[in-house]
Amino acid sequence: MESLWRRLRAASSFLPEPVARDPCVTLADCMHPAIPRLVDVQEIDHQTASLRSDLERLPALVRGLDAQLSGALTDVVAAKEAHTNNLKERKKLELDVQQWKDRARKYRDQTGAVKTNEAYKALLQEIGNAEAEASKAEDLELDVMMKGDEIDRRVKSTEAQLRESEASVTSQRKKVEAEGLEKKKLLDAATAKREQLFAPIPEDLRDLYTRIAKRHNGTALARVRDDQCMGCGLRVLPHIVQLLHRDDNEEVHRCENCGLILYTLEPAATHSPSASGNAEAASSTP
Ligand SMILES: [Zn+2]
């Protein structure tokens, strides 16, 4: 059976040059030929996950702005309703005052026609009572008028607040929409770039990447630095580290602990002192 490495080599031979990650080494110099592409794919996947999460937050932001506006509108409606009720109450009290005053006048008019002392006293009693009620209603009317002044101020302030909210919400909404469009554009570009990078990778490696990424929250590869898996911190066996540096490496190596696909960005010369002649030769190269 044809080795995985040979198939990857064949697949990568028609691909553009991999991106240089380090001034002194490119990824393809020291590892499995498809890994550099997967590293780029992973970077894009992390970016797109972040973009998607940002985009998912936008509708809630818009809902928050709508709620802010609707709250300001509710305050105006409530203040106007209070104003209407206050006017109604004032009208009713005005009428009460008038009615009690009319009644007092009517009793007073009757005083000239009474024949007995008792009837006269009774009329005076009624007049006193009607005047007291009129005065009580006038006091209440004054209270209601004062409340009315306060309500008028509330109507004005809630209307001003609503105008302010409308202006602020309109500008924030525009910002949110622009951010959405920008992020959507970035997401589309990243998705296209990912497809371009991912498609030429052999199917079995693509499947492996997808499976691992699914299990590890979108991360399938872990860099090895100072002989440690950066995915979980476990020490990677020295011979695996050496293999990661070899360009005739036929295998994809995964961390024994976390299962992520291992890769390295470190130059082989500084990293494999036991690789006899290779390390010395590399380090003595001018
Ligand atoms: Zn690990």
Side-chain angles (χ1 to χ4, degrees), residues 223-242 244 254-258 262 266 271 273-274:
R223 184 179 164 187
V224 173
R225 199 167 67 191
D226 299 331
D227 296 348
Q228 270 190 329
C229 165
M230 300 310 287
C232 67
L234 191 83
R235 194 169 169 75
V236 179
L237 293 172
H239 80 275
I240 300 290
V241 178
Q242 282 177 35
L244 290 178
R254 294 173 62 184
C255 173
E256 285 179 357
N257 185 46
C258 64
L262 298 171
E266 290 163 352
H271 203 85
S274 58

Side-chain angles (χ1 to χ4, degrees), residues 13 41 57 125 166 170 225 232 252:
S13 62
V41 167
R57 276 191 300 109
Q125 177 86 26
E166 277 169 345
T170 303
R225 199 167 67 191
C232 67
V252 167

